[in-house]
Amino acid sequence: MRTSQYLLSTLKETPASAEVISHQLMLRAGLVRNVASGLYTWLPTGLKVLRKVEQIVREEMEKAGAIEVLMPMVQPADLWEESGRWEDYGPELLRLNDRHNRSFVLGPTHEEVITKLIANEISSYKQLPVNLFQIQTKFRDEIRPRFGVMRGREFLMKDAYSFHLDETCLKTTYQNMYNAYCRIFERLGLDYRPVIADTGSIGGDASHEFHVLADSGEDDIAFSDQSDFAANIEKAEALAPKGTRPSATQELTQVATPNVKTIEEVATFLSVDAQQTVKTLLVQGANENTPVIALVLRGDHQLNEIKAENLSEVASPLTFATDEQIQTTANCNAGSIGPVNLPIPVIVDRSAAHLADFICGANVHDTHFSGVNWDRDIQNYQVADIRNVVEGDPSPCGQGNIVIKRGIEVGHIFQLGEKYAQAMNCGVLTETGKNQTLTMGCYGIGVSRIVAAAIEQNHDKYGIKWPSAIAPFQAAIVPMNMAKSARVKETAEQLYAQLQRAGVDVIFDDRKERPGVMFADHELIGTPFLLIIGERNLDTQEIEVKNRITGEKSLMKIDQVMSLFQ
Amino acid sequence: MRTSQYLLSTLKETPASAEVISHQLMLRAGLVRNVASGLYTWLPTGLKVLRKVEQIVREEMEKAGAIEVLMPMVQPADLWEESGRWEDYGPELLRLNDRHNRSFVLGPTHEEVITKLIANEISSYKQLPVNLFQIQTKFRDEIRPRFGVMRGREFLMKDAYSFHLDETCLKTTYQNMYNAYCRIFERLGLDYRPVIADTGSIGGDASHEFHVLADSGEDDIAFSDQSDFAANIEKAEALAPKGTRPSATQELTQVATPNVKTIEEVATFLSVDAQQTVKTLLVQGANENTPVIALVLRGDHQLNEIKAENLSEVASPLTFATDEQIQTTANCNAGSIGPVNLPIPVIVDRSAAHLADFICGANVHDTHFSGVNWDRDIQNYQVADIRNVVEGDPSPCGQGNIVIKRGIEVGHIFQLGEKYAQAMNCGVLTETGKNQTLTMGCYGIGVSRIVAAAIEQNHDKYGIKWPSAIAPFQAAIVPMNMAKSARVKETAEQLYAQLQRAGVDVIFDDRKERPGVMFADHELIGTPFLLIIGERNLDTQEIEVKNRITGEKSLMKIDQVMSLFQ
């Protein structure tokens, strides 16, 4: 590719609208352009990266025995009614009507279409298992699209769906996909981690997310510092403190705490550590009989909303009690609630339940209790894991302590079970002639999001530092003052022809631009090798090679350049 | 690929819903499945064909210097308002609202998005010309989707758009695209023709369609039997008959023609040839002053609606007069209209204008005139080319006569001119510093339609006969009774491994099926070579090779099989 016949579209200025570095660099390097909120055009350079990611995903899916299909983006509403998601799915599901006023959706995912297909096409256990995938454009009507293609509305996704006669078979394919995902992210050259994940609204029994580690990630991942354990913080178990709870040594004492509301204010006012206090949060209950539930956490801990809403007593999605409910239930405002004599179910986090002689709200305005002790002062309560782990917690795997890093979710695999197969009557005849509902797995990769995540993880102040497998170009030929030197021009043209013949994805910068402009563009775009051809070095048949990743410059004989790409 | 690990999904019965052979075979051979009206899932075998077509299109577009991009399927309405097509485009444009009630369309084509992109990205004449393409999913809300993927609603299209400073440059790129299209259809192995086409509602100056010839095609193509001339019948000029018109020899005579309405009835009743009659059609005029216009054709000729609506006097789209208008204007019903004393503008086809002593309606119920002559009996009329050419007509190229064949439109290229660039303010600074509106070309290929068109052109009673470049598999290994013969199994496995290593796209039929079932499936799918491994021939280290296209069977030494694929 010659830049003179290409749409380079690099920008000198950082567009003000872009919040995160990957979005800024994708705009500046000419990878994408915004068409409307959450909708992007992929420019030539961006599309080259996208296609390379797509091809690696495709190859590894095929190697793992998955078969590619292509389902429509526009899906009839009746399939979604059959699965129940026409009702359940929120406004992210874009609904539309055709000219005959029939209802459709723009597919955010394809469980319905594939389950119906399998129900029609597969009738015997002999045809199982089957694992079908597609790499296809999805649409999710995000309420606030942001971070460029990281959270866009229209995006490219690889989604796969496997169907099985039993759970053992599902688990085998699940592990197979887990391994394929590891190979994919390794080949992409990304620092990634598979982490245990919550199954969320999609349902099912087991789930892993694949995260690209980056400080700008939206998710917190809990790792063990001594094992392979990694889990989304939503799902990472906080173990109960070891040993037995200390015995009570203080009397229960009511303390006036005027204008003291937050944990920090309480701790400061009473000169204690926040770890010696508890906070009490009121949330909606799952049953009519218990409309409000109290959740009690140690003062320095954070509620884990996913863990809380997974409790049968708590309404899902988690909803905090209204000010009115707080007043009616606890007779005070939110700053003074505590578990002593609270006339509602109380669920206490494992760490809070391990405290003795602690401080809590007294359910009286501007008043706290000190010297509070479980069982002596509060009799009815239940203990559960409802907090986020924090760094230094013992790892739930039993080895080492928790370290927390941020990650960008780029893949997610689920053991779905029978949810869709049951709703859509997807079964086969078994060997004994019985009709058996199939069990299902689903496996997603955010293809376009990977491009952004790779940049979040690989950039410097000059621009993008692509892993070589997905760099838009493997090399850039940058001739110095080609217009003035026939020898430079001839060498550049020869090298270009030679690299093209060898199948190297090379861009030849044949613009009449100053060297500084050309260098800046190619460093911004992140081409791994800059091949700089100058009059000065041609006497010795050499060119200057600049490595974008290491920043190293070296002189290299022209006939050895090919060795960089072998 | 082993059939045991594949989704073959062939059908024995022809689905009743499928009208055309390509749709029937695409269902039976397991290429696609219907999801809803005009919406299809591409099954593995179909997708393999689709991807092969896509790749040939991509390679030839890139060789021709076009650069690939990817635009969103969901497009904001404001771009369509800017171009004027929000109003102009009919109900095939699917309009939708997002969760914030903003209006969007599902892109049926991308002139607006690309013109806006170029307006933003290109500011100097130095960056021109540029030719961008994408291979992307489109949606057109057809009122009556039919013929499977031939006229579906969601389909895969290659669309390209070129931008130029002047028309000379546009014409160069247009010719370049014309040549690329010829290479594409040649590589696809299809019998195709580029034909002169009407530019239709998309506007512009010149246009060619590319048709795959097939009896089931929806379009009539007029060819010269002695030159390269080919035009869509919509656009093929019907030349005026040679020589001067014969002189009048008969008197104008009114003839009672009770219950005689159609041309055939008139010709039979009066014992003349239909060529000696004319028919008069009343249509809506383009101006308020002339709400109805008469179009006069020779009795044996058909009106060409495109030619008629391209006349400035005639309303576009062409609309026939209502029964009321006919009664008011001609004082009779449609069966008795004629041009004599008709008080409205009369436009006469060139061939009808060459008649003497002809027969026409008398504008009196159940009455005709015979011995009618132009100028003597009808003074005010205008002559134009408003009929379809018919076989035997002289070719408008000046060489040979017209032959008509049916075609399926699979490509269309346009010289668009400034229509979109002007509406969307897309210009650059020229060398002299002037702002210059760009001129544009656009170039479409129906990628998914090509799959169906290839089948319409290449099939027999057993199934599809793929051109080798787009066959889903290049070869099928069909072992006979593999379960009973270790030697057959071993040979099949070895051959499979060898073909795979050589990069041959091979399917290994490892099902426990009768040979007849396997043969029928692979002939239906249309794999070019069946490699049949039987115990009988292994003594001589031979296998049977069946050529799907020629039907020939031959024995071949196993170590020579690879030569079939080199």
Side-chain angles (χ1 to χ4, degrees):
Chain A
M1 191 57 68
R2 292 168 192 267
T3 46
S4 62
Q5 290 159 27
Y6 189 70
L7 192 66
L8 207 58
S9 276
T10 51
L11 304 175
K12 285 200 187 65
E13 306 295 327
T14 300
S17 62
E19 297 169 67
V20 295
I21 188 73
S22 61
H23 190 197
Q24 291 168 5
L25 287 173
M26 288 185 79
L27 292 171
R28 285 191 54 211
L31 304 191
V32 294
R33 285 296 180 264
N34 188 241
V35 174
S37 176
L39 302 175
Y40 291 86
T41 287
W42 289 79
L43 296 180
T45 309
L47 186 61
K48 283 174 75 74
V49 180
L50 189 71
R51 293 279 184 240
K52 288 183 183 186
V53 174
E54 181 183 329
Q55 191 52 26
I56 288 173
V57 172
R58 175 175 291 117
E59 286 171 13
E60 293 300 329
M61 289 301 293
E62 287 181 345
K63 270 188 216 159
I67 313 167
E68 192 172 0
V69 296
L70 182 63
M71 292 177 265
M73 183 166 176
V74 176
Q75 306 176 9
D78 52 6
L79 290 182
W80 288 71
E81 278 160 4
E82 208 176 324
S83 74
R85 291 208 291 182
W86 178 256
E87 296 295 330
D88 294 350
Y89 215 108
E92 279 183 21
L93 181 66
L94 196 141
R95 293 150 167 100
L96 55 98
N97 290 320
D98 74 359
R99 65 192 289 169
H100 302 298
N101 212 27
R102 286 179 297 229
S103 295
F104 292 83
V105 307
L106 280 192
T109 169
H110 280 69
E111 281 83 4
E112 283 79 1
V113 178
I114 196 90
T115 305
K116 182 56 85 178
L117 179 79
I118 294 298
N120 289 332
E121 298 304 318
I122 291 201
S123 53
S124 161
Y125 71 96
K126 289 183 198 165
Q127 297 168 278
L128 294 175
V130 65
N131 187 4
L132 300 177
F133 78 101
Q134 62 175 351
I135 298 178
Q136 191 250 14
T137 303
K138 299 272 183 284
F139 195 93
R140 284 185 198 163
D141 201 1
E142 296 277 350
I143 189 162
R144 197 162 77 86
R146 59 206 152 121
F147 308 150
V149 300
M150 191 93 85
R151 193 170 287 281
R153 295 201 285 178
E154 189 174 321
F155 55 95
L156 194 64
M157 186 167 159
K158 187 283 297 175
D159 45 328
Y161 308 88
S162 69
F163 293 84
H164 312 266
L165 207 55
D166 58 44
E167 212 168 313
T168 312
C169 179
L170 166 60
K171 283 186 198 300
T172 304
T173 297
Y174 184 85
Q175 187 59 45
N176 186 10
M177 284 292 100
Y178 181 103
N179 298 341
Y181 274 41
C182 291
R183 284 194 301 272
I184 287 168
F185 293 110
E186 271 154 30
R187 279 187 62 186
L188 291 171
L190 298 174
D191 184 13
Y192 76 98
R193 292 292 185 286
V195 307
I196 299 164
D198 189 64
T199 52
S201 63
I202 205 160
D205 305 322
S207 177
H208 284 85
E209 292 167 353
F210 287 76
H211 282 262
V212 167
L213 300 183
D215 293 339
S216 57
E218 285 190 276
D219 285 286
D220 279 321
I221 314 296
F223 295 89
S224 162
D225 60 4
Q226 285 177 33
S227 81
D228 282 344
F229 175 84
N232 192 309
I233 201 161
E234 291 175 349
K235 187 76 177 177
E237 186 181 0
L239 299 178
K242 286 201 176 138
T244 51
R245 189 171 65 206
S247 304
T249 63
Q250 300 175 6
E251 291 303 301
L252 182 72
T253 312
Q254 189 160 330
V255 192
T257 50
N259 291 321
V260 164
K261 288 187 183 67
T262 66
I263 287 294
E264 290 76 46
E265 288 165 354
V266 172
T268 306
F269 186 83
L270 298 176
S271 299
V272 296
D273 197 288
Q275 294 187 13
Q276 205 50 36
T277 70
V278 305
K279 57 186 167 191
T280 305
L281 306 167
L282 302 193
V283 299
Q284 312 280 354
N287 308 311
E288 278 177 37
N289 303 337
T290 52
V292 182
I293 306 273
L295 303 177
V296 180
L297 293 141
R298 218 169 71 183
D300 60 326
H301 284 156
Q302 296 300 318
L303 177 68
N304 183 313
E305 300 196 5
I306 302 288
K307 291 179 183 176
E309 74 186 15
N310 282 345
L311 296 175
S312 62
E313 295 84 356
V314 174
S316 174
L318 187 83
T319 313
F320 287 96
T322 61
D323 287 349
E324 259 188 301
Q325 285 178 312
I326 292 173
Q327 196 64 47
T328 315
T329 309
N331 248 322
C332 62
N333 61 26
S336 304
I337 316 173
V340 181
N341 296 326
L342 200 59
I344 52 171
V346 173
I347 299 175
V348 184
D349 181 66
R350 290 168 172 172
S351 296
H354 202 257
L355 292 178
D357 300 333
F358 60 89
I359 289 159
C360 66
N363 299 325
V364 174
H365 183 60
D366 278 356
T367 309
H368 280 74
F369 283 128
S370 69
V372 189
N373 282 279
W374 297 108
D375 299 328
R376 185 191 73 185
D377 306 322
I378 307 143
Q379 285 77 39
N380 291 319
Y381 63 96
Q382 177 187 334
V383 177
D385 171 21
I386 55 171
R387 72 168 171 98
N388 285 336
V389 290
V390 294
E391 293 216 337
D393 277 346
S395 173
C397 71
Q399 286 178 274
N401 295 319
I402 292 290
V403 175
I404 292 178
K405 292 185 184 171
R406 298 189 76 81
I408 300 166
E409 186 194 330
V410 287
H412 204 160
I413 60 178
F414 294 90
Q415 292 177 27
L416 271 181
E418 299 187 357
K419 175 175 170 173
Y420 295 94
Q422 210 151 46
M424 306 187 79
N425 209 6
C426 179
V428 297
L429 289 181
T430 63
E431 204 161 359
T432 58
K434 253 194 351 190
N435 199 331
Q436 163 85 47
T437 300
L438 300 189
T439 191
M440 224 177 132
C442 78
Y443 318 95
I445 285 184
V447 178
S448 38
R449 178 182 274 195
I450 284 174
V451 178
I455 296 173
E456 290 290 340
Q457 195 177 72
N458 300 279
H459 65 270
D460 62 16
K461 63 180 173 178
Y462 302 111
I464 306 167
K465 295 165 78 171
W466 290 112
S468 63
I470 57 173
F473 301 102
Q474 295 168 267
I477 296 174
V478 187
M480 305 286 93
N481 293 312
M482 192 165 68
K484 288 185 189 156
S485 164
R487 200 160 63 145
V488 166
K489 182 168 164 45
E490 195 187 331
T491 307
E493 292 282 0
Q494 279 174 2
L495 185 60
Y496 180 54
Q498 198 185 354
L499 287 166
Q500 282 200 308
R501 270 197 307 275
V504 177
D505 208 342
V506 57
I507 185 158
F508 175 13
D509 202 336
D510 62 346
R511 292 177 295 173
K512 287 177 192 159
E513 287 284 6
R514 286 181 296 108
V517 171
M518 296 198 277
F519 291 149
D521 272 349
H522 296 293
E523 301 228 313
L524 175 61
I525 292 171
T527 306
F529 292 104
L530 266 62
L531 311 176
I532 304 159
I533 301 174
E535 181 65 35
R536 210 173 43 177
N537 300 316
L538 288 183
D539 290 335
T540 51
Q541 283 293 302
E542 284 176 318
I543 65 169
E544 193 180 331
V545 177
K546 181 163 181 191
N547 184 315
R548 175 69 183 92
I549 306 298
T550 62
E552 284 169 348
K553 289 182 190 179
S554 57
L555 286 176
M556 194 175 236
K557 291 281 181 197
I558 293 172
D559 52 15
Q560 285 168 5
V561 168
M562 297 305 296
S563 68
L564 291 170
F565 309 102
Q566 274 150 10
Chain B
M1 191 58 69
R2 291 169 194 266
T3 47
S4 62
Q5 291 159 26
Y6 189 70
L7 192 67
L8 208 58
S9 275
T10 51
L11 304 175
K12 285 201 187 64
E13 306 295 326
T14 300
S17 61
E19 295 169 67
V20 296
I21 189 73
S22 60
H23 190 195
Q24 291 169 5
L25 287 173
M26 287 184 80
L27 292 170
R28 284 192 53 212
L31 305 191
V32 294
R33 286 295 179 265
N34 189 241
V35 174
S37 176
L39 301 175
Y40 291 86
T41 288
W42 289 79
L43 296 179
T45 309
L47 186 62
K48 283 175 76 73
V49 180
L50 190 71
R51 292 279 185 243
K52 289 184 182 186
V53 174
E54 183 183 327
Q55 191 52 26
I56 288 173
V57 172
R58 175 175 291 117
E59 285 171 14
E60 293 300 330
M61 288 302 292
E62 287 182 345
K63 271 189 215 159
I67 313 168
E68 191 170 2
V69 296
L70 182 63
M71 292 176 265
M73 185 167 177
V74 175
Q75 307 176 9
D78 52 7
L79 290 181
W80 288 71
E81 277 160 3
E82 207 176 324
S83 75
R85 290 208 292 182
W86 180 255
E87 295 294 329
D88 294 351
Y89 215 109
E92 280 185 20
L93 181 67
L94 197 140
R95 293 149 167 100
L96 55 98
N97 290 321
D98 73 359
R99 64 192 291 168
H100 301 298
N101 213 27
R102 285 179 298 228
S103 296
F104 292 84
V105 307
L106 280 192
T109 169
H110 280 69
E111 281 81 5
E112 282 79 2
V113 177
I114 196 91
T115 304
K116 182 56 86 180
L117 178 79
I118 294 297
N120 289 333
E121 297 304 317
I122 291 200
S123 53
S124 159
Y125 71 96
K126 289 182 197 165
Q127 297 168 277
L128 295 174
V130 64
N131 187 4
L132 300 177
F133 78 100
Q134 63 175 350
I135 298 177
Q136 191 251 13
T137 302
K138 299 271 183 283
F139 195 92
R140 285 185 196 162
D141 201 0
E142 296 277 350
I143 189 162
R144 196 162 78 85
R146 60 206 151 121
F147 308 150
V149 300
M150 191 92 85
R151 192 170 288 281
R153 294 200 285 177
E154 189 173 319
F155 55 96
L156 194 64
M157 186 167 159
K158 187 284 296 174
D159 45 330
Y161 307 88
S162 68
F163 293 83
H164 313 265
L165 208 57
D166 58 43
E167 212 168 313
T168 312
C169 179
L170 167 60
K171 282 184 198 302
T172 304
T173 297
Y174 184 86
Q175 187 59 45
N176 186 10
M177 284 292 100
Y178 181 103
N179 298 342
Y181 274 41
C182 291
R183 284 193 301 271
I184 287 167
F185 294 110
E186 272 154 29
R187 279 188 63 186
L188 291 170
L190 298 174
D191 185 11
Y192 76 98
R193 292 292 185 285
V195 307
I196 300 165
D198 188 63
T199 53
S201 63
I202 206 161
D205 305 322
S207 178
H208 284 85
E209 291 167 356
F210 288 75
H211 282 262
V212 167
L213 300 183
D215 293 340
S216 57
E218 285 190 276
D219 285 287
D220 281 319
I221 314 295
F223 295 88
S224 163
D225 59 6
Q226 284 177 33
S227 81
D228 282 345
F229 174 84
N232 192 308
I233 201 160
E234 291 175 348
K235 187 76 177 178
E237 186 181 2
L239 299 178
K242 285 200 177 139
T244 51
R245 188 170 65 206
S247 304
T249 63
Q250 298 176 7
E251 292 301 304
L252 182 73
T253 311
Q254 188 160 331
V255 193
T257 50
N259 292 319
V260 164
K261 287 187 185 68
T262 67
I263 288 295
E264 291 75 48
E265 288 165 354
V266 172
T268 306
F269 187 82
L270 298 176
S271 299
V272 295
D273 196 289
Q275 294 188 12
Q276 204 53 32
T277 70
V278 304
K279 56 185 167 193
T280 305
L281 306 167
L282 301 192
V283 299
Q284 313 280 353
N287 309 310
E288 278 177 35
N289 304 338
T290 54
V292 181
I293 306 273
L295 304 176
V296 181
L297 294 141
R298 222 169 70 182
D300 60 326
H301 284 154
Q302 296 301 320
L303 177 68
N304 182 311
E305 300 196 6
I306 302 286
K307 290 178 182 177
E309 74 187 14
N310 282 344
L311 296 175
S312 61
E313 294 84 356
V314 174
S316 174
L318 187 84
T319 314
F320 287 95
T322 62
D323 287 348
E324 258 186 302
Q325 285 178 310
I326 292 173
Q327 197 64 47
T328 315
T329 311
N331 247 321
C332 64
N333 62 26
S336 304
I337 316 173
V340 181
N341 296 326
L342 200 60
I344 53 170
V346 173
I347 299 174
V348 185
D349 181 67
R350 288 167 172 173
S351 295
H354 201 257
L355 293 178
D357 301 333
F358 61 88
I359 288 158
C360 66
N363 299 325
V364 175
H365 184 61
D366 277 356
T367 310
H368 280 75
F369 283 128
S370 71
V372 190
N373 281 279
W374 297 108
D375 300 327
R376 187 192 71 187
D377 307 322
I378 307 141
Q379 285 78 38
N380 291 318
Y381 64 96
Q382 177 187 335
V383 178
D385 170 22
I386 56 172
R387 72 168 172 96
N388 285 335
V389 290
V390 293
E391 293 217 336
D393 276 346
S395 172
C397 70
Q399 287 176 273
N401 295 319
I402 292 289
V403 177
I404 292 177
K405 291 184 185 170
R406 298 190 76 83
I408 300 165
E409 186 194 330
V410 286
H412 204 159
I413 60 178
F414 295 89
Q415 292 176 28
L416 272 182
E418 299 186 356
K419 175 175 168 173
Y420 295 93
Q422 210 151 46
M424 305 187 80
N425 209 7
C426 179
V428 296
L429 288 182
T430 62
E431 204 160 0
T432 59
K434 253 190 355 186
N435 199 330
Q436 164 84 47
T437 301
L438 299 188
T439 191
M440 223 177 132
C442 78
Y443 318 95
I445 285 184
V447 177
S448 38
R449 181 183 273 195
I450 283 174
V451 178
I455 296 172
E456 291 290 339
Q457 195 177 73
N458 300 281
H459 65 270
D460 61 17
K461 62 180 174 177
Y462 303 110
I464 306 168
K465 296 166 78 172
W466 291 112
S468 62
I470 57 174
F473 301 102
Q474 294 167 269
I477 295 174
V478 187
M480 305 287 92
N481 294 314
M482 192 164 68
K484 289 185 188 156
S485 165
R487 200 160 62 145
V488 166
K489 182 168 165 45
E490 193 186 333
T491 307
E493 291 282 0
Q494 279 174 1
L495 185 60
Y496 180 54
Q498 197 184 357
L499 287 166
Q500 281 200 309
R501 270 198 307 276
V504 177
D505 208 343
V506 57
I507 184 158
F508 174 14
D509 201 335
D510 62 348
R511 293 177 295 173
K512 287 178 192 158
E513 287 284 4
R514 287 181 297 108
V517 171
M518 296 199 274
F519 292 148
D521 273 349
H522 296 293
E523 302 228 312
L524 175 60
I525 292 171
T527 306
F529 292 104
L530 266 62
L531 310 177
I532 304 159
I533 301 175
E535 181 65 35
R536 207 173 44 177
N537 300 315
L538 286 182
D539 290 336
T540 51
Q541 284 291 304
E542 284 175 318
I543 64 169
E544 194 181 329
V545 177
K546 181 162 181 190
N547 183 316
R548 175 69 183 94
I549 305 299
T550 63
E552 284 170 349
K553 289 182 191 179
S554 57
L555 287 175
M556 193 176 236
K557 291 281 179 195
I558 292 170
D559 52 15
Q560 285 166 5
V561 168
M562 297 305 296
S563 67
L564 290 169
F565 307 101
Q566 276 149 8

